[in-house]
Amino acid sequence: MRSILIPILLAPLLTAAEKPQTPKQPWSEYRVHDVSRPHPEKVTGGACVTTPAPSDAVVLFDGSGTDALTVDWPIQDGSLVANGKDTRSKEEFASCQVHLEWRIPAGRKVKDQVGGNSGVFLMDRYEVQVQESHTNVTYADGQAAALYGQTPPLLNASLPQGEWQSYDIIFTAPVYGDKGMEEPARVTVIHNGVVVQDNTEIYGGTVFRRIAKYSAKHPEKAPLRLQWHKDPIEYRNIWVRPLD
Ligand code: MG
C-alpha cells in the first residue's frame, strides 16, 4: 500500500521536467507539449483586423447581447468576458470562416498556461489556442494560434497584453464515410493579419498530454465553442460564415 500511495501523493509536487513524458507526435519529431520544441519567430507590425460582419454571416456577438450563445458570459463595455464555463454558438457549423477579436486583460498575471488562456473550438472539438504569447513563454504547441497539442503557429504574431487581437479562421471539416474519417480537417489561421496556420492538417480532436485522433463517428455540424480556462479573456465582433 505504501509503495502505491507515495507516488500518488507526490505527483502534484513534481516539476514539469520531472513529470512523465508525453508521447511523441507521429506527425512531427517532437512530443506533445514538448518544451524543447523551437518557438516560431516573432513577427512585428501586424495589427488587429476589425472586419464588420458581412451580410451573409451568422453574428454570434456584436456587443448587444448573448442570444446567439448558450451561456450568458457578462458583457463589459461591449466585450464578452469569459466566465464560469465554456459557451457555444446555438447554431451549428461544419466548414466555415470565423472572425473574432480577443484580448488578454491588461495587468493580469500570466505564466505559462495559466492566466491568459482561452480557445476557439471549431466544431466543438478542434482548438485554436488563445494565449498571452507576446512575452509569456509556454510550450510551442500551446501558444497563441497553435492547434493546441498538435502544431505551433508558423510565426508568433502576438500583440501585447491589453491590446485587441484578431483571428480569421478558414476551417474545412473532416470528411467521414462508412468506415470513419476519410479526409482530415484542415485550418488556416490569420492572426493580426498574418497567416500563421496555412491549410494545416488537424490530427483529431484536441486533447491534453495525449495524441489526438479522430473519433469513430462525427457530427455533420457542431457549435463553435469558446473556452473558459479560469481566465477572464475578452471577446468582441464574433461572426461565422458557413462554407458548405
Ligand atoms: Mg486554451
Side-chain angles (χ1 to χ4, degrees):
M1 178 64 92
R2 185 177 171 173
S3 60
I4 297 170
L5 269 180
I6 286 175
I8 291 172
L9 292 172
L10 287 178
L13 303 175
L14 297 176
T15 66
E18 293 163 333
K19 279 182 182 167
Q21 282 197 317
T22 52
K24 186 189 164 299
Q25 297 177 333
W27 56 82
S28 85
E29 55 191 290
Y30 300 101
R31 295 178 180 279
V32 176
H33 314 319
D34 196 333
V35 293
S36 69
R37 189 169 192 162
H39 289 91
E41 194 177 318
K42 196 86 192 284
V43 63
T44 58
C48 180
V49 178
T50 298
T51 309
S55 60
D56 64 345
V58 177
V59 175
L60 299 185
F61 180 74
D62 64 2
S64 63
T66 56
D67 289 354
L69 301 168
T70 57
V71 175
D72 292 331
W73 282 357
I75 300 173
Q76 286 176 8
D77 299 326
S79 305
L80 190 65
V81 184
N83 190 342
K85 53 176 139 172
D86 293 3
T87 191
R88 293 171 172 79
S89 61
K90 289 180 181 169
E91 188 152 339
E92 299 189 337
F93 307 97
S95 297
C96 59
Q97 173 187 353
V98 178
H99 175 88
L100 57 81
E101 295 153 42
W102 55 272
R103 177 166 70 174
I104 313 291
R108 183 166 175 81
K109 189 163 178 272
V110 177
K111 188 177 181 207
D112 199 347
Q113 288 288 304
V114 178
N117 196 333
S118 184
V120 180
F121 282 73
L122 300 150
M123 294 196 85
D124 207 21
R125 47 185 47 71
Y126 308 113
E127 184 184 17
V128 177
Q129 173 74 319
V130 167
Q131 182 60 265
E132 202 298 276
S133 295
H134 184 68
T135 56
N136 175 50
V137 177
T138 187
Y139 44 82
D141 69 20
Q143 69 179 72
L147 299 183
Y148 184 81
Q150 300 186 20
T151 306
L154 295 166
L155 292 162
N156 181 350
S158 295
L159 294 172
Q161 189 172 340
E163 293 188 18
W164 284 100
Q165 310 196 43
S166 57
Y167 279 167
D168 288 282
I169 299 170
I170 300 157
F171 171 72
T172 305
V175 176
Y176 268 66
D178 294 340
K179 293 177 181 168
M181 192 275 290
E182 292 179 348
E183 282 180 49
R186 307 195 81 91
V187 69
T188 292
V189 179
I190 302 171
H191 183 192
N192 297 323
V194 180
V195 173
V196 293
Q197 299 285 355
D198 182 8
N199 199 31
T200 306
E201 179 171 342
I202 297 175
Y203 298 100
T206 298
V207 285
F208 176 60
R209 293 180 62 84
R210 290 186 286 127
I211 300 295
K213 62 176 189 214
Y214 281 95
S215 55
K217 291 186 176 173
H218 200 280
E220 282 189 18
K221 293 184 176 183
L224 184 83
R225 170 159 61 105
L226 299 178
Q227 184 184 41
W228 161 247
H229 201 281
K230 298 189 169 69
D231 299 319
I233 308 308
E234 299 166 76
Y235 287 92
R236 71 179 185 189
N237 192 21
I238 310 170
W239 49 262
V240 182
R241 293 184 59 251
L243 295 175
D244 36 28

